[in-house]
Amino acid sequence: MAKEKTPITPAIRQLRAEKVEFADRLYTYEEKGGTAVSARELGVDEHRVIKTLIMEDEAKKPLIVLMHGDLQVSTKELARIIGVKQITPCTPETAQKHSGYQVGGTSPFGTRRQMPVYLEETITGLDRIYINGGKRGYLVALAPSELVRVLKPMPVHVGIR
């Protein structure tokens, strides 16, 4: 894809500012299609497509969870690990308020608000991941080590089938 077609989002601005090497991956977005659709459209394993989930604790403090596309988050285990009573997914409106991104186009990079980031630790074992670039139908491919360098997430083991 031509360089000039790269959507310019807060995520892309942060990636460029941090000198992250990434590749654009545009695809046809499907409402409520999730990572299964993006993986199918891009011809990649859904396990390599990383979803960005905005959640909150019982005090309504927001946080980001990065998870393999083919796994769910054990919110009970995450709450135990980080020492809170409960973790719940945010409503789409609340997630957008915290992140600045429309649900389906949420990136962990360039969020409106600084939030703690929790990363499913097995993601770092992959050589390349595909994560949202801040717009529906737009992922960026990069090395997990770059994500770790830029976001400094806390590794956790909370992925379940």
Side-chain angles (χ1 to χ4, degrees):
M1 129 161 224
K3 197 70 170 160
E4 65 272 10
K5 291 187 181 177
T6 299
I8 304 302
T9 65
I12 297 309
R13 286 189 191 97
Q14 182 180 9
L15 290 171
R16 287 179 175 166
E18 299 277 358
K19 298 186 180 359
V20 172
E21 249 187 68
F22 66 92
D24 301 309
R25 295 289 183 259
L26 286 162
Y27 67 95
T28 303
Y29 178 80
E30 288 179 26
E31 192 73 37
K32 300 199 184 302
T35 56
V37 167
S38 54
R40 181 192 74 215
E41 291 293 307
L42 297 174
V44 300
D45 180 359
E46 190 180 5
H47 196 67
R48 293 178 178 276
V49 178
I50 307 307
K51 51 191 172 187
T52 303
L53 304 165
I54 309 296
M55 299 191 173
E56 58 191 13
D57 66 16
E58 71 276 359
K60 302 290 184 207
K61 289 189 184 138
L63 55 104
I64 296 172
V65 181
L66 301 176
M67 181 56 67
H68 295 282
D70 60 349
L71 297 180
Q72 300 300 314
V73 175
S74 169
T75 53
K76 193 176 192 175
E77 182 64 10
L78 181 59
R80 188 190 66 71
I81 290 169
I82 65 176
V84 298
K85 287 183 181 150
Q86 186 178 26
I87 299 284
T88 54
C90 290
T91 64
E93 299 77 25
T94 302
Q96 186 168 343
K97 186 180 79 174
H98 291 316
S99 70
Y101 294 113
Q102 189 175 23
V103 170
T106 305
S107 177
F109 302 104
T111 54
R112 174 178 293 153
R113 193 172 170 182
Q114 285 286 83
M115 295 175 266
V117 180
Y118 298 91
L119 171 74
E120 172 58 36
E121 63 190 5
T122 54
I123 291 170
T124 60
L126 300 171
D127 60 334
R128 197 154 183 78
I129 58 171
Y130 301 84
I131 195 161
N132 203 288
K135 184 175 191 267
R136 288 177 168 184
Y138 177 52
L139 300 186
V140 292
L142 51 85
S145 58
E146 286 293 270
L147 180 142
V148 170
R149 178 178 67 84
V150 173
L151 298 177
K152 297 170 183 44
M154 178 181 173
V156 292
H157 188 63
V158 295
I160 53 176
R161 293 241 172 243

